[in-house]
Amino acid sequence: MAEVYYVGVDVGSAGVRAALVTRAGLVVSTAEETISIWEPQSDHYVQSSTEIWEKCCTVVKNLRESCWNKAAHFFDLPDFLSWKATGSLTRSLCTLVCKWTYCPPDGWDAGFWTNIGLEELLENNFSKIGSATCSPGSPLGDGLTQDAAAELNLEPGTAVGASLIDAHAGGLGVIGADVKGFQLPCEDQPLTSRMAMICGTSTCHMAISKQPLFVPGVWGPCLSAMVPGMWLNEGGQSATGRLIDHMVKGHAAYTQLQQQAQQRSNIFSYLNNHLSSMATSNSVDLLGSSLHVWPDFHGNRSPLADPTLKGMVIGLPLSQTLDDLALLYLATIQSLALGTLQILEAMKEAGHDIRTLFLCGGLSKNALFVQINANATGLPVVLPDQTEAVLIGAAVLGACASQDYSTVQEAMERMAKVGKVVQPDFNFYERKYKVFLRLFAHQREYQALMNQRRHGWWEAAELELTLSVS
Protein backbone atom coordinates (compact mmCIF):
# COMPACT_ATOMS: atom_id res chain seq x y z
CA MET A 1 0.00 0.00 0.00
CA ALA A 2 1.30 3.45 -0.90
CA GLU A 3 2.60 5.51 2.03
CA VAL A 4 0.35 8.38 3.09
CA TYR A 5 1.91 11.71 4.05
CA TYR A 6 0.56 14.89 5.59
CA VAL A 7 1.81 18.46 5.32
CA GLY A 8 1.85 20.77 8.33
CA VAL A 9 2.35 24.49 7.71
CA ASP A 10 3.26 26.93 10.49
CA VAL A 11 3.15 30.68 9.89
CA GLY A 12 5.11 32.46 12.60
CA SER A 13 5.94 36.11 13.14
CA ALA A 14 9.28 35.77 11.36
CA GLY A 15 8.88 32.91 8.92
CA VAL A 16 6.88 30.06 7.39
CA ARG A 17 7.77 26.44 8.04
CA ALA A 18 6.38 23.24 6.53
CA ALA A 19 6.92 19.59 7.35
CA LEU A 20 6.13 16.34 5.57
CA VAL A 21 4.82 13.94 8.21
CA THR A 22 4.00 10.22 8.07
CA ARG A 23 0.85 8.65 9.48
CA ALA A 24 2.90 7.60 12.49
CA GLY A 25 3.86 11.21 13.20
CA LEU A 26 7.45 11.07 11.94
CA VAL A 27 8.84 14.17 10.22
CA VAL A 28 10.32 13.15 6.88
CA SER A 29 11.39 16.55 5.59
CA THR A 30 11.08 20.25 6.43
CA ALA A 31 11.34 23.54 4.55
CA GLU A 32 11.47 27.14 5.78
CA GLU A 33 11.21 30.67 4.39
CA THR A 34 11.56 34.03 6.16
CA ILE A 35 8.85 36.72 6.12
CA SER A 36 9.69 40.39 5.59
CA ILE A 37 8.88 42.81 8.40
CA TRP A 38 8.59 46.58 7.89
CA GLU A 39 8.65 49.23 10.61
CA PRO A 40 6.98 52.38 9.18
CA GLN A 41 7.19 54.05 12.57
CA SER A 42 8.54 53.25 16.00
CA ASP A 43 6.96 50.11 17.54
CA HIS A 44 4.67 49.70 14.53
CA TYR A 45 5.31 46.57 12.45
CA VAL A 46 3.76 45.60 9.14
CA GLN A 47 3.84 42.36 7.13
CA SER A 48 2.47 41.44 3.71
CA SER A 49 -0.31 38.85 3.64
CA THR A 50 0.43 38.38 -0.07
CA GLU A 51 4.06 37.56 0.70
CA ILE A 52 3.00 35.19 3.48
CA TRP A 53 0.85 33.24 1.03
CA GLU A 54 3.71 33.18 -1.48
CA LYS A 55 6.06 31.84 1.21
CA CYS A 56 3.49 29.16 2.13
CA CYS A 57 3.43 28.09 -1.52
CA THR A 58 7.22 28.09 -1.68
CA VAL A 59 7.79 25.88 1.36
CA VAL A 60 5.15 23.39 0.22
CA LYS A 61 6.65 23.27 -3.27
CA ASN A 62 10.11 22.77 -1.76
CA LEU A 63 8.78 19.81 0.19
CA ARG A 64 7.22 18.43 -2.96
CA GLU A 65 10.46 18.75 -4.89
CA SER A 66 12.48 17.09 -2.16
CA CYS A 67 9.88 14.43 -1.08
CA TRP A 68 6.16 15.31 -2.44
CA ASN A 69 6.74 12.41 -5.60
CA LYS A 70 6.40 9.63 -2.96
CA ALA A 71 2.75 10.68 -2.62
CA ALA A 72 0.59 8.58 -4.91
CA HIS A 73 -2.77 10.09 -3.98
CA PHE A 74 -4.31 12.98 -2.05
CA PHE A 75 -7.62 12.43 -0.29
CA ASP A 76 -10.11 14.38 1.69
CA LEU A 77 -10.89 12.39 4.84
CA PRO A 78 -14.25 10.93 3.68
CA ASP A 79 -12.67 9.67 0.46
CA PHE A 80 -9.64 8.35 2.34
CA LEU A 81 -11.91 6.27 4.57
CA SER A 82 -13.80 4.98 1.53
CA TRP A 83 -10.49 4.01 -0.09
CA LYS A 84 -9.34 2.23 3.06
CA ALA A 85 -12.60 0.29 3.13
CA THR A 86 -12.82 -0.66 -0.55
CA GLY A 87 -9.54 0.09 -2.29
CA SER A 88 -11.50 2.25 -4.73
CA LEU A 89 -9.96 5.54 -5.86
CA THR A 90 -13.32 6.94 -6.94
CA ARG A 91 -14.02 10.23 -5.14
CA SER A 92 -17.38 11.44 -3.86
CA LEU A 93 -18.70 14.55 -5.56
CA CYS A 94 -19.57 15.89 -2.10
CA THR A 95 -15.96 16.38 -1.04
CA LEU A 96 -14.54 17.26 -4.46
CA VAL A 97 -17.17 19.87 -5.28
CA CYS A 98 -17.44 21.43 -1.80
CA LYS A 99 -13.75 21.42 -0.89
CA TRP A 100 -11.55 20.68 -3.89
CA THR A 101 -12.73 23.10 -6.62
CA TYR A 102 -14.07 20.27 -8.80
CA CYS A 103 -16.96 21.48 -10.98
CA PRO A 104 -19.14 18.90 -12.73
CA PRO A 105 -19.73 18.23 -15.52
CA ASP A 106 -16.55 20.02 -16.68
CA GLY A 107 -14.35 18.55 -13.95
CA TRP A 108 -11.01 19.91 -12.77
CA ASP A 109 -9.75 23.38 -13.66
CA ALA A 110 -6.20 22.76 -14.84
CA GLY A 111 -5.43 26.48 -14.80
CA PHE A 112 -6.07 26.73 -11.06
CA TRP A 113 -3.57 24.02 -10.12
CA THR A 114 -1.02 25.46 -12.53
CA ASN A 115 -1.42 28.97 -11.12
CA ILE A 116 -0.72 27.80 -7.56
CA GLY A 117 2.33 25.79 -8.60
CA LEU A 118 0.82 22.30 -8.36
CA GLU A 119 0.76 21.48 -12.07
CA GLU A 120 2.12 18.03 -11.19
CA LEU A 121 -1.41 17.12 -10.12
CA LEU A 122 -2.56 17.36 -13.74
CA GLU A 123 -0.60 14.20 -14.62
CA ASN A 124 -2.46 11.06 -15.71
CA ASN A 125 -5.79 12.83 -15.90
CA PHE A 126 -5.57 14.14 -12.32
CA SER A 127 -5.12 10.60 -10.97
CA LYS A 128 -3.52 11.81 -7.72
CA ILE A 129 -6.56 13.85 -6.69
CA GLY A 130 -9.29 11.93 -8.47
CA SER A 131 -9.90 11.04 -12.09
CA ALA A 132 -13.06 9.04 -11.28
CA THR A 133 -16.01 10.57 -9.41
CA CYS A 134 -19.51 9.53 -8.38
CA SER A 135 -22.56 10.82 -6.52
CA PRO A 136 -22.98 10.19 -2.77
CA GLY A 137 -24.39 6.73 -2.09
CA SER A 138 -23.01 5.17 -5.26
CA PRO A 139 -21.45 1.72 -4.64
CA LEU A 140 -17.66 1.80 -4.47
CA GLY A 141 -15.52 -0.96 -5.96
CA ASP A 142 -16.52 -4.44 -4.94
CA GLY A 143 -17.45 -3.39 -1.43
CA LEU A 144 -15.30 -4.13 1.62
CA THR A 145 -11.91 -5.63 0.93
CA GLN A 146 -10.79 -8.74 2.78
CA ASP A 147 -8.53 -6.71 5.07
CA ALA A 148 -11.12 -4.03 5.83
CA ALA A 149 -13.83 -6.62 6.43
CA ALA A 150 -11.61 -8.44 8.93
CA GLU A 151 -10.83 -5.22 10.78
CA LEU A 152 -14.50 -4.18 10.88
CA ASN A 153 -15.78 -7.71 11.65
CA LEU A 154 -18.06 -7.61 8.60
CA GLU A 155 -18.42 -9.73 5.48
CA PRO A 156 -16.07 -9.10 2.54
CA GLY A 157 -17.95 -7.49 -0.31
CA THR A 158 -20.36 -5.61 1.97
CA ALA A 159 -21.54 -2.62 -0.03
CA VAL A 160 -19.95 0.77 0.76
CA GLY A 161 -21.54 3.99 -0.48
CA ALA A 162 -19.63 7.04 -1.65
CA SER A 163 -19.31 9.33 1.35
CA LEU A 164 -20.61 12.70 2.55
CA ILE A 165 -19.21 15.45 4.75
CA ASP A 166 -20.78 15.13 8.22
CA ALA A 167 -23.10 18.13 7.99
CA HIS A 168 -24.28 17.00 4.56
CA ALA A 169 -25.05 13.56 5.99
CA GLY A 170 -27.16 15.30 8.64
CA GLY A 171 -29.07 17.05 5.87
CA LEU A 172 -29.65 13.72 4.16
CA GLY A 173 -30.92 12.28 7.44
CA VAL A 174 -33.76 14.80 7.80
CA ILE A 175 -34.64 16.68 4.64
CA GLY A 176 -36.32 13.85 2.74
CA ALA A 177 -38.69 12.56 5.44
CA ASP A 178 -42.26 11.65 4.48
CA VAL A 179 -44.42 14.47 5.91
CA LYS A 180 -47.85 13.21 4.92
CA GLY A 181 -50.45 13.85 7.60
CA PHE A 182 -48.54 16.59 9.44
CA GLN A 183 -50.26 19.51 7.67
CA LEU A 184 -46.96 21.07 6.62
CA PRO A 185 -46.63 23.61 3.79
CA CYS A 186 -43.97 21.42 2.15
CA GLU A 187 -46.37 18.47 1.80
CA ASP A 188 -46.92 17.53 -1.86
CA GLN A 189 -44.14 19.99 -2.73
CA PRO A 190 -40.66 19.15 -4.08
CA LEU A 191 -37.67 18.79 -1.77
CA THR A 192 -36.64 22.26 -2.85
CA SER A 193 -39.28 23.68 -0.47
CA ARG A 194 -37.30 22.41 2.53
CA MET A 195 -34.13 23.57 4.28
CA ALA A 196 -32.07 21.41 6.62
CA MET A 197 -30.33 23.07 9.57
CA ILE A 198 -27.58 21.11 11.25
CA CYS A 199 -27.25 22.96 14.55
CA GLY A 200 -24.38 22.34 16.92
CA THR A 201 -21.22 24.26 17.75
CA SER A 202 -21.89 26.02 14.45
CA THR A 203 -24.87 25.76 12.11
CA CYS A 204 -25.12 24.76 8.45
CA HIS A 205 -28.17 25.74 6.38
CA MET A 206 -28.69 23.29 3.50
CA ALA A 207 -31.08 24.14 0.65
CA ILE A 208 -31.34 22.31 -2.67
CA SER A 209 -32.61 23.32 -6.10
CA LYS A 210 -33.18 21.71 -9.50
CA GLN A 211 -31.27 24.47 -11.27
CA PRO A 212 -28.17 26.31 -10.01
CA LEU A 213 -29.02 29.34 -7.87
CA PHE A 214 -26.29 31.78 -6.91
CA VAL A 215 -26.86 33.30 -3.46
CA PRO A 216 -24.47 36.09 -2.37
CA GLY A 217 -22.66 35.09 0.82
CA VAL A 218 -23.85 31.48 0.61
CA TRP A 219 -21.64 28.63 -0.62
CA GLY A 220 -22.54 26.93 -3.86
CA PRO A 221 -24.36 26.02 -5.94
CA CYS A 222 -22.72 22.59 -5.81
CA LEU A 223 -24.08 19.82 -8.05
CA SER A 224 -24.73 16.45 -6.37
CA ALA A 225 -22.93 17.54 -3.21
CA MET A 226 -25.74 16.21 -0.99
CA VAL A 227 -28.69 14.92 -3.01
CA PRO A 228 -27.61 13.39 -6.36
CA GLY A 229 -28.73 15.43 -9.33
CA MET A 230 -29.69 18.45 -7.18
CA TRP A 231 -27.78 21.69 -6.62
CA LEU A 232 -26.82 22.53 -3.04
CA ASN A 233 -26.54 25.97 -1.44
CA GLU A 234 -24.94 25.94 2.00
CA GLY A 235 -25.33 28.87 4.34
CA GLY A 236 -23.86 28.91 7.79
CA GLN A 237 -23.27 30.57 11.14
CA SER A 238 -19.73 30.14 12.44
CA ALA A 239 -20.68 30.06 16.12
CA THR A 240 -24.11 29.07 17.45
CA GLY A 241 -23.89 26.53 20.28
CA ARG A 242 -20.42 27.87 20.94
CA LEU A 243 -21.77 31.42 21.20
CA ILE A 244 -24.53 30.39 23.60
CA ASP A 245 -21.94 28.66 25.79
CA HIS A 246 -19.71 31.73 25.62
CA MET A 247 -22.46 34.11 26.72
CA VAL A 248 -23.76 31.88 29.51
CA LYS A 249 -20.46 30.67 30.94
CA GLY A 250 -18.88 34.13 30.81
CA HIS A 251 -21.63 35.73 32.92
CA ALA A 252 -21.06 36.61 36.56
CA ALA A 253 -24.14 34.60 37.59
CA TYR A 254 -22.93 31.39 35.92
CA THR A 255 -21.76 29.83 39.20
CA GLN A 256 -25.18 30.46 40.72
CA LEU A 257 -26.78 28.93 37.64
CA GLN A 258 -24.66 25.80 37.99
CA GLN A 259 -25.69 25.42 41.61
CA GLN A 260 -29.37 25.83 40.82
CA ALA A 261 -29.29 23.56 37.76
CA GLN A 262 -27.43 20.80 39.62
CA GLN A 263 -30.41 20.31 41.86
CA ARG A 264 -32.97 20.11 39.04
CA SER A 265 -31.74 19.70 35.46
CA ASN A 266 -29.06 20.75 32.98
CA ILE A 267 -28.31 24.46 32.75
CA PHE A 268 -30.22 25.10 29.52
CA SER A 269 -33.38 23.33 30.65
CA TYR A 270 -33.14 25.31 33.85
CA LEU A 271 -32.75 28.59 31.96
CA ASN A 272 -35.72 27.75 29.73
CA ASN A 273 -37.88 27.08 32.78
CA HIS A 274 -36.57 30.19 34.52
CA LEU A 275 -37.52 32.35 31.55
CA SER A 276 -41.01 30.84 31.56
CA SER A 277 -41.41 31.79 35.21
CA MET A 278 -40.18 35.33 34.47
CA ALA A 279 -42.68 35.71 31.62
CA THR A 280 -45.71 34.83 33.83
CA SER A 281 -48.70 35.12 31.49
CA ASN A 282 -46.81 36.74 28.59
CA SER A 283 -44.74 35.04 25.92
CA VAL A 284 -41.07 34.39 26.72
CA ASP A 285 -40.17 36.08 23.41
CA LEU A 286 -41.29 39.47 24.76
CA LEU A 287 -38.63 39.35 27.46
CA GLY A 288 -36.09 40.14 24.75
CA SER A 289 -37.74 43.43 23.77
CA SER A 290 -35.05 45.68 25.23
CA LEU A 291 -31.94 43.49 24.94
CA HIS A 292 -30.45 42.95 21.49
CA VAL A 293 -27.48 40.89 20.27
CA TRP A 294 -25.61 40.85 16.96
CA PRO A 295 -24.21 37.28 17.02
CA ASP A 296 -21.13 37.52 14.81
CA PHE A 297 -18.57 37.18 17.60
CA HIS A 298 -16.58 34.95 15.21
CA GLY A 299 -17.31 36.87 12.01
CA ASN A 300 -20.18 36.36 9.59
CA ARG A 301 -20.20 33.39 7.26
CA SER A 302 -23.64 33.91 5.66
CA PRO A 303 -25.11 35.91 4.11
CA LEU A 304 -22.60 38.77 4.60
CA ALA A 305 -19.44 36.66 4.24
CA ASP A 306 -17.44 39.07 6.39
CA PRO A 307 -14.95 37.58 8.88
CA THR A 308 -14.16 41.04 10.31
CA LEU A 309 -17.59 41.55 11.89
CA LYS A 310 -17.77 41.44 15.67
CA GLY A 311 -20.49 40.69 18.21
CA MET A 312 -22.64 43.42 19.74
CA VAL A 313 -24.89 43.58 22.82
CA ILE A 314 -27.25 46.53 23.31
CA GLY A 315 -29.26 47.09 26.48
CA LEU A 316 -27.13 45.69 29.31
CA PRO A 317 -27.96 46.78 32.89
CA LEU A 318 -25.54 47.26 35.75
CA SER A 319 -26.96 44.24 37.60
CA GLN A 320 -25.64 40.72 36.99
CA THR A 321 -28.32 38.51 38.49
CA LEU A 322 -29.56 35.11 37.36
CA ASP A 323 -32.46 36.95 35.70
CA ASP A 324 -29.95 39.03 33.73
CA LEU A 325 -28.11 35.87 32.64
CA ALA A 326 -31.39 34.29 31.50
CA LEU A 327 -32.28 37.39 29.47
CA LEU A 328 -28.85 37.46 27.80
CA TYR A 329 -29.23 33.76 26.96
CA LEU A 330 -32.65 34.50 25.45
CA ALA A 331 -31.40 37.48 23.43
CA THR A 332 -28.52 35.37 22.08
CA ILE A 333 -30.86 32.63 20.87
CA GLN A 334 -33.12 35.27 19.32
CA SER A 335 -30.18 36.81 17.47
CA LEU A 336 -29.14 33.43 16.05
CA ALA A 337 -32.70 32.81 14.85
CA LEU A 338 -32.77 36.24 13.21
CA GLY A 339 -29.46 35.38 11.54
CA THR A 340 -31.17 32.34 10.07
CA LEU A 341 -34.02 34.58 8.88
CA GLN A 342 -31.44 36.78 7.16
CA ILE A 343 -29.99 33.72 5.38
CA LEU A 344 -33.49 32.61 4.36
CA GLU A 345 -34.25 36.02 2.89
CA ALA A 346 -31.02 35.95 0.85
CA MET A 347 -31.93 32.50 -0.46
CA LYS A 348 -35.48 33.59 -1.26
CA GLU A 349 -34.23 36.61 -3.17
CA ALA A 350 -32.03 34.31 -5.27
CA GLY A 351 -34.96 32.05 -6.18
CA HIS A 352 -35.38 29.53 -3.36
CA ASP A 353 -38.91 28.89 -2.06
CA ILE A 354 -38.36 27.42 1.41
CA ARG A 355 -41.50 26.62 3.38
CA THR A 356 -40.35 24.28 6.16
CA LEU A 357 -37.22 23.92 8.30
CA PHE A 358 -35.80 20.51 9.25
CA LEU A 359 -33.50 20.70 12.29
CA CYS A 360 -30.99 18.23 13.71
CA GLY A 361 -27.89 18.37 15.88
CA GLY A 362 -27.33 19.22 19.52
CA LEU A 363 -29.22 22.53 19.54
CA SER A 364 -32.30 20.87 18.08
CA LYS A 365 -32.72 19.24 21.51
CA ASN A 366 -33.16 22.68 23.09
CA ALA A 367 -36.92 23.36 23.01
CA LEU A 368 -36.54 27.13 23.35
CA PHE A 369 -34.01 27.32 20.50
CA VAL A 370 -36.38 25.35 18.25
CA GLN A 371 -39.45 27.42 19.12
CA ILE A 372 -37.71 30.75 18.65
CA ASN A 373 -36.40 29.63 15.24
CA ALA A 374 -39.99 28.82 14.26
CA ASN A 375 -41.28 32.13 15.61
CA ALA A 376 -38.53 34.31 14.12
CA THR A 377 -38.69 32.77 10.64
CA GLY A 378 -42.44 32.23 10.60
CA LEU A 379 -41.87 28.66 9.37
CA PRO A 380 -42.74 25.31 10.94
CA VAL A 381 -39.80 23.29 12.25
CA VAL A 382 -39.61 19.52 11.82
CA LEU A 383 -37.56 17.51 14.31
CA PRO A 384 -36.42 13.98 13.39
CA ASP A 385 -37.77 10.84 15.03
CA GLN A 386 -34.18 9.68 15.60
CA THR A 387 -31.86 12.17 17.26
CA GLU A 388 -28.76 10.89 15.41
CA ALA A 389 -29.66 12.32 12.01
CA VAL A 390 -26.04 12.36 10.76
CA LEU A 391 -25.81 8.61 11.33
CA ILE A 392 -29.18 8.07 9.61
CA GLY A 393 -27.84 10.02 6.64
CA ALA A 394 -24.70 7.88 6.57
CA ALA A 395 -26.86 4.73 6.69
CA VAL A 396 -28.87 6.08 3.73
CA LEU A 397 -25.64 5.95 1.70
CA GLY A 398 -25.17 2.28 2.61
CA ALA A 399 -28.78 1.48 1.78
CA CYS A 400 -28.33 2.98 -1.69
CA ALA A 401 -24.97 1.31 -2.26
CA SER A 402 -26.52 -2.09 -1.41
CA GLN A 403 -29.25 -1.30 -3.97
CA ASP A 404 -31.99 -1.92 -1.41
CA TYR A 405 -33.26 1.47 -2.60
CA SER A 406 -32.96 2.66 -6.16
CA THR A 407 -32.26 6.33 -5.33
CA VAL A 408 -31.10 8.46 -2.43
CA GLN A 409 -34.47 10.25 -2.55
CA GLU A 410 -36.32 6.95 -2.05
CA ALA A 411 -34.03 5.93 0.80
CA MET A 412 -34.44 9.31 2.54
CA GLU A 413 -38.23 9.11 2.34
CA ARG A 414 -38.28 5.60 3.83
CA MET A 415 -35.53 5.97 6.45
CA ALA A 416 -35.92 9.57 7.70
CA LYS A 417 -38.94 9.99 9.94
CA VAL A 418 -40.76 13.01 11.37
CA GLY A 419 -40.58 13.01 15.15
CA LYS A 420 -42.19 16.32 16.09
CA VAL A 421 -43.48 19.45 14.39
CA VAL A 422 -43.08 22.85 16.07
CA GLN A 423 -45.31 25.57 14.64
CA PRO A 424 -44.61 29.31 15.00
CA ASP A 425 -46.83 30.51 17.83
CA PHE A 426 -45.97 34.17 18.38
CA ASN A 427 -45.60 37.06 15.93
CA PHE A 428 -43.09 39.34 17.61
CA TYR A 429 -39.99 39.42 15.47
CA GLU A 430 -40.81 41.90 12.71
CA ARG A 431 -39.72 44.85 14.86
CA LYS A 432 -36.85 43.00 16.49
CA TYR A 433 -35.53 42.02 13.06
CA LYS A 434 -35.45 45.70 12.10
CA VAL A 435 -33.30 46.36 15.17
CA PHE A 436 -31.14 43.36 14.23
CA LEU A 437 -30.42 44.77 10.78
CA ARG A 438 -29.68 48.21 12.21
CA LEU A 439 -27.07 46.69 14.52
CA PHE A 440 -25.18 45.57 11.43
CA ALA A 441 -25.61 48.96 9.77
CA HIS A 442 -24.41 50.71 12.92
CA GLN A 443 -21.33 48.50 13.18
CA ARG A 444 -20.42 49.38 9.61
CA GLU A 445 -21.00 53.05 10.40
CA TYR A 446 -18.78 52.90 13.48
CA GLN A 447 -16.03 51.15 11.51
CA ALA A 448 -16.21 53.82 8.82
CA LEU A 449 -16.02 56.62 11.39
CA MET A 450 -13.00 55.11 13.11
CA ASN A 451 -11.24 54.36 9.82
CA GLN A 452 -11.88 57.94 8.69
CA ARG A 453 -10.37 59.25 11.89
CA ARG A 454 -7.37 56.97 11.61
CA HIS A 455 -6.79 57.98 8.02
CA GLY A 456 -7.10 61.62 9.06
CA TRP A 457 -4.46 61.07 11.75
CA TRP A 458 -2.11 59.58 9.17
CA GLU A 459 -2.66 62.52 6.85
CA ALA A 460 -1.97 64.96 9.68
CA ALA A 461 1.16 63.05 10.66
CA GLU A 462 2.41 63.06 7.08
CA LEU A 463 1.76 66.81 6.79
CA GLU A 464 3.66 67.48 10.03
CA LEU A 465 6.56 65.35 8.79
CA THR A 466 6.62 67.26 5.50
CA LEU A 467 6.65 70.62 7.30
CA SER A 468 9.44 69.45 9.62
CA VAL A 469 11.58 68.30 6.72
CA SER A 470 10.97 71.56 4.88
Side-chain angles (χ1 to χ4, degrees):
M1 184 178 69
E3 181 63 69
V4 176
Y5 294 93
Y6 308 97
V7 173
V9 179
D10 171 37
V11 178
S13 57
V16 177
R17 301 182 302 150
L20 196 69
V21 183
T22 68
R23 291 177 61 202
L26 298 176
V27 175
V28 175
S29 181
T30 61
E32 186 170 352
E33 290 282 324
T34 58
I35 301 172
S36 303
I37 301 175
W38 294 271
E39 189 176 0
Q41 62 180 3
S42 178
D43 293 329
H44 186 85
Y45 301 96
V46 177
Q47 292 181 303
S48 166
S49 54
T50 299
E51 185 193 46
I52 290 171
W53 169 248
E54 291 171 351
K55 297 295 186 180
C56 288
C57 295
T58 299
V59 293
V60 172
K61 284 192 287 188
N62 288 344
L63 280 181
R64 183 197 68 184
E65 290 168 3
S66 62
C67 304
W68 213 256
N69 291 330
K70 296 180 181 178
H73 301 284
F74 298 90
F75 295 101
D76 209 275
L77 178 60
D79 289 322
F80 170 75
L81 296 176
S82 298
W83 171 69
K84 286 288 289 183
T86 67
S88 172
L89 294 172
T90 300
R91 308 308 209 271
S92 169
L93 285 174
C94 178
T95 48
L96 289 197
V97 173
C98 291
K99 294 187 175 183
W100 280 75
T101 75
Y102 187 87
C103 188
D106 299 327
W108 295 108
D109 180 356
F112 169 77
W113 299 105
T114 301
N115 288 341
I116 64 173
L118 292 175
E119 59 275 2
E120 178 184 303
L121 298 180
L122 277 63
E123 296 174 0
N124 299 318
N125 191 29
F126 296 94
S127 62
K128 287 189 175 184
I129 55 176
S131 54
T133 64
C134 66
S135 297
S138 301
L140 293 175
D142 296 319
L144 288 179
T145 64
Q146 292 282 348
D147 289 344
E151 291 182 291
L152 294 168
N153 197 25
L154 294 172
E155 292 294 320
T158 297
V160 177
S163 56
L164 284 170
I165 300 166
D166 54 356
H168 299 62
L172 214 62
V174 293
I175 202 170
D178 183 357
V179 299
K180 286 184 174 62
F182 289 93
Q183 289 76 52
L184 288 166
C186 65
E187 186 173 349
D188 298 323
Q189 298 296 319
L191 287 178
T192 54
S193 64
R194 310 177 182 192
M195 184 173 79
M197 289 177 56
I198 298 82
C199 316
T201 302
S202 58
T203 294
C204 292
H205 302 73
M206 307 286 200
I208 53 178
S209 58
K210 293 182 179 179
Q211 300 298 327
L213 297 176
F214 292 85
V215 187
V218 172
W219 294 353
C222 301
L223 181 60
S224 297
M226 187 170 78
V227 179
M230 306 288 282
W231 294 85
L232 173 70
N233 283 114
E234 181 185 345
Q237 293 167 303
S238 299
T240 48
R242 177 69 182 88
L243 178 61
I244 294 171
D245 287 344
H246 173 75
M247 300 296 259
V248 170
K249 294 179 179 179
H251 198 275
Y254 178 62
T255 301
Q256 182 185 355
L257 170 64
Q258 285 182 300
Q259 293 169 349
Q260 295 287 340
Q262 254 182 355
Q263 303 167 10
R264 307 179 193 181
S265 58
N266 68 59
I267 60 173
F268 299 115
S269 295
Y270 179 86
L271 284 170
N272 294 351
N273 291 330
H274 189 75
L275 285 166
S276 295
S277 67
M278 290 174 64
T280 59
S281 60
N282 295 319
S283 170
V284 165
D285 303 68
L286 285 173
L287 294 173
S289 297
S290 58
L291 185 60
H292 308 283
V293 174
W294 179 261
D296 292 330
F297 285 59
H298 195 55
N300 184 284
R301 175 176 159 188
S302 299
L304 304 173
D306 186 349
T308 68
L309 287 174
K310 300 294 187 289
M312 302 170 71
V313 183
I314 304 296
L316 287 174
L318 190 60
S319 57
Q320 292 184 314
T321 66
L322 189 54
D323 283 0
D324 295 316
L325 169 52
L327 291 175
L328 183 59
Y329 162 72
L330 170 65
T332 302
I333 290 178
Q334 290 176 325
S335 72
L336 293 169
L338 292 172
T340 289
L341 174 59
Q342 191 180 26
I343 292 170
L344 281 167
E345 289 196 340
M347 288 186 170
K348 181 179 179 181
E349 189 173 342
H352 283 282
D353 180 22
I354 296 165
R355 305 183 185 187
T356 308
L357 304 180
F358 289 72
L359 266 64
C360 65
L363 281 178
S364 69
K365 301 170 187 176
N366 184 323
L368 183 65
F369 179 87
V370 173
Q371 186 65 65
I372 288 178
N373 269 273
N375 292 351
T377 62
L379 298 177
V381 172
V382 175
L383 299 176
D385 176 62
Q386 304 293 316
T387 57
E388 300 296 346
V390 173
L391 298 179
I392 297 294
V396 164
L397 302 177
C400 291
S402 67
Q403 300 181 340
D404 287 342
Y405 296 107
S406 59
T407 65
V408 165
Q409 287 90 329
E410 181 189 6
M412 288 193 300
E413 186 174 358
R414 298 286 187 86
M415 297 176 70
K417 300 285 193 301
V418 175
K420 182 180 179 181
V421 174
V422 178
Q423 296 285 354
D425 65 5
F426 193 67
N427 186 11
F428 159 71
Y429 287 93
E430 182 177 352
R431 286 172 295 161
K432 193 167 177 67
Y433 186 51
K434 290 179 180 177
V435 174
F436 180 82
L437 295 178
R438 288 190 183 184
L439 289 177
F440 165 64
H442 289 169
Q443 184 170 159
R444 280 278 193 263
E445 182 183 347
Y446 304 153
Q447 289 175 336
L449 285 170
M450 296 307 296
N451 288 338
Q452 181 183 25
R453 186 172 182 180
R454 183 162 63 246
H455 293 154
W457 178 86
W458 273 107
E459 291 167 3
E462 290 172 357
L463 176 61
E464 182 179 344
L465 180 62
T466 302
L467 292 173
S468 298
V469 172
S470 300

